[in-house]
Amino acid sequence: MDTIRTIEQHIVTHTSDIIFAIYPNDTHQDHRYSSLAVISATRNVPNLLFYSSVSSIHFLPNIFVDITDTIDTKLQAIYLHKSQFENGSLDEAIRGMARNYGALLRR
């Protein structure tokens, strides 16, 4: 409950009407639990949008944002979670996901 209350407080403080959360169907337990907390905390927010990670399962996007100009910034932000990358880099996986979603738009 503390996590949900903390998220609710941030929503109120920042007067958020759009929230982005990781997709809940994910193999990483931290992703699943944080997504469920956000879902609970945003019950009064008009727009909750999900994004995928390399560990998301069966994610079917219907809104796309071109991140060509910001993918390096995205990678820098992801790598702030240093403990998650002890076994190597995710650069290619993340860039590959971005290329795949870009290819979906060109169909």
Side-chain angles (χ1 to χ4, degrees):
M1 286 300 273
D2 288 343
T3 302
I4 295 168
R5 277 194 213 104
T6 300
I7 296 167
E8 288 172 334
Q9 289 170 353
H10 283 287
I11 291 168
V12 170
T13 300
H14 299 287
T15 58
S16 304
D17 58 356
I18 299 175
I19 303 294
F20 292 87
I22 194 148
Y23 187 61
N25 194 0
D26 198 285
T27 60
H28 194 294
Q29 66 275 9
D30 292 348
H31 295 175
R32 285 193 309 273
Y33 295 132
S34 65
S35 183
L36 293 175
V38 171
I39 290 168
S40 293
T42 58
R43 61 194 171 279
N44 297 315
V45 176
N47 299 293
L48 173 60
L49 302 176
F50 293 108
Y51 58 89
S52 66
S53 77
V54 295
S55 55
S56 294
I57 303 169
H58 306 300
F59 182 74
L60 299 171
N62 58 8
I63 297 173
F64 295 86
V65 176
D66 184 355
I67 62 167
T68 302
D69 295 336
T70 58
I71 192 162
D72 291 328
T73 303
K74 173 183 175 132
L75 288 168
Q76 288 172 0
I78 289 169
Y79 281 109
L80 291 174
H81 302 278
K82 293 178 182 163
S83 66
Q84 301 298 306
F85 304 104
E86 294 167 351
N87 295 325
S89 170
L90 289 177
D91 278 29
E92 273 312 303
I94 293 167
R95 290 179 191 278
M97 281 177 46
R99 282 191 296 273
N100 182 56
Y101 288 140
L104 287 173
L105 288 174
R106 289 189 282 280
R107 289 186 186 173

